[in-house]
């Protein structure tokens, strides 16, 4: 069968846009080189025309220059056509790359969307709300524990707050009546010792020996006071 119908040849893959663009660009560079050579030749003919006198020789040079100028115009047309093709290929390549980027973006978005859906199945709003409520309850319990641990055991529970407020007002009144001498409140001044003599209304102590009433002896005075008699020395 292969001998009758032959073997189907494998077709070569079509060239890519980049390959076609590179090939056309290479052809355009070749045409540019030819145009540069023709420009150099035209410059040489211009110099010869300037140096040659008008006549058959100058006309011959002009004819050769005209032929070179026609070739240059032809190559310039080919170069412009190649540049237009290259431009069109670049536009197609740009659009193709944009579509490829869009496809990759869509694939990435689909993958991310699928992954996000899977994650959202494990995270529920109700679970988050319950977790927040539990955290608030734990914070309240923690505050109660801190308040309990910071309670003072020296303060009795049966203190009258009105009595404390009265003492506080009295303390503020004493602070307002500070002495001008030293600026110390009255409740901070040292206590003064009481004058016992003033409280008992005692007479002042005698400063010297008091003489008895006239006509009375010392012995009579001692007898009235109940003092023992003091023996007197005999008079010699």
């Amino acid at each position: 069968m292969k001998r009758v119908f032959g073997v189907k040849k494998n077709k070569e893959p079509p060239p890519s846009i980049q390959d076609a663009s590179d090939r056309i660009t290479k052809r355009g560079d070749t045409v540019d080189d030819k145009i540069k050579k023709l420009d150099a030749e035209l410059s040489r003919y211009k110099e010869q025309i300037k140096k040659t006198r008008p006549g058959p020789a100058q006309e011959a040079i002009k004819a050769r220059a005209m032929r070179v100028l026609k070739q240059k115009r032809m190559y310039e047309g080919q170069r412009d056509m190649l540049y237009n093709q290259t431009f069109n290929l670049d536009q197609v390549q740009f659009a193709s790359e944009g579509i490829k980027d869009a496809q990759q973006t869509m694939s990435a978005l689909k993958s991310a969307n699928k992954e996000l859906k899977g994650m959202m199945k494990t995270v529920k709003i109700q679970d988050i709300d319950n977790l927040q409520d539990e955290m608030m309850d734990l914070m309240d319990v923690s505050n109660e524990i801190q308040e309990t641990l910071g309670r003072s055991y020296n303060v009795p529970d049966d203190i009258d707050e009105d009595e404390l407020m009265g003492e506080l007002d009295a303390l503020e009144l004493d602070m307002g009546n500070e002495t001008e001498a030293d600026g110390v409140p009255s409740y901070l001044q040292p206590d003064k010792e009481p004058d016992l003599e003033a409280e008992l209304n005692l007479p002042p102590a005698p400063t010297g020996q008091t003489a008895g009433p006239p006509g009375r002896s010392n012995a009579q005075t001692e007898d009235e006071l109940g003092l023992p008699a003091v023996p007197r020395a005999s008079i010699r």
Side-chain angles (χ1 to χ4, degrees), residues 104-117:
Q104 292 180 357
T105 303
M106 288 297 297
S107 299
L109 290 175
K110 288 180 179 179
S111 178
N113 189 20
K114 183 178 180 180
E115 184 178 359
L116 186 61
K117 286 181 179 179

Side-chain angles (χ1 to χ4, degrees), residues 112-189:
N113 189 20
K114 183 178 180 180
E115 184 178 359
L116 186 61
K117 286 181 179 179
M119 294 173 64
M120 291 300 294
K121 290 180 180 179
T122 60
V123 179
K124 296 181 180 179
I125 301 298
Q126 185 63 34
D127 295 339
I128 296 175
D129 293 337
N130 295 334
L131 181 61
Q132 291 290 338
D133 295 338
E134 185 177 357
M135 290 297 295
M136 293 298 295
D137 294 338
L138 291 175
M139 292 300 295
D140 293 339
V141 173
S142 177
N143 292 332
E144 292 179 0
I145 293 174
Q146 295 297 327
E147 292 178 359
T148 303
L149 293 177
R151 185 181 300 169
S152 177
Y153 298 100
N154 295 327
V155 179
D157 296 333
D158 56 351
I159 294 179
D160 189 0
E161 293 185 359
D162 295 335
E163 183 179 354
L164 291 178
M165 290 300 296
E167 293 183 4
L168 181 60
D169 294 338
L171 180 61
E172 292 179 354
L173 182 60
D174 290 341
M175 292 178 64
N177 295 329
E178 295 180 353
T179 57
E180 298 180 357
D182 51 3
V184 180
S186 60
Y187 64 89
L188 294 180
Q189 294 180 1

Side-chain angles (χ1 to χ4, degrees), residues 28-117:
D29 295 337
T30 303
V31 174
D32 279 336
D33 293 336
K34 292 181 179 180
I35 292 173
K36 291 178 181 179
K37 291 180 181 179
L38 293 176
D39 286 335
E41 189 175 355
L42 283 175
S43 298
R44 187 172 63 253
Y45 287 152
K46 288 180 181 179
E47 293 294 332
Q48 291 178 1
I49 291 172
K50 290 180 182 180
K51 296 178 181 179
T52 305
R53 294 179 180 179
Q58 189 180 36
E59 294 297 329
I61 296 172
K62 288 182 179 181
R64 288 195 294 270
M66 185 65 65
R67 179 176 53 83
V68 173
L69 185 59
K70 288 180 181 180
Q71 291 179 357
K72 178 184 175 183
R73 294 293 175 82
M74 181 187 65
Y75 286 134
E76 287 178 351
Q78 292 179 359
R79 183 188 61 183
D80 294 340
M81 181 182 63
L82 293 174
Y83 283 166
N84 289 333
Q85 292 179 5
T86 305
F87 178 77
N88 293 332
L89 289 174
D90 291 340
Q91 292 295 322
V92 173
Q93 185 177 7
F94 180 79
S96 177
E97 293 294 335
I99 294 175
K100 290 181 180 179
D101 294 339
Q103 290 177 350
Q104 292 180 357
T105 303
M106 288 297 297
S107 299
L109 290 175
K110 288 180 179 179
S111 178
N113 189 20
K114 183 178 180 180
E115 184 178 359
L116 186 61
K117 286 181 179 179

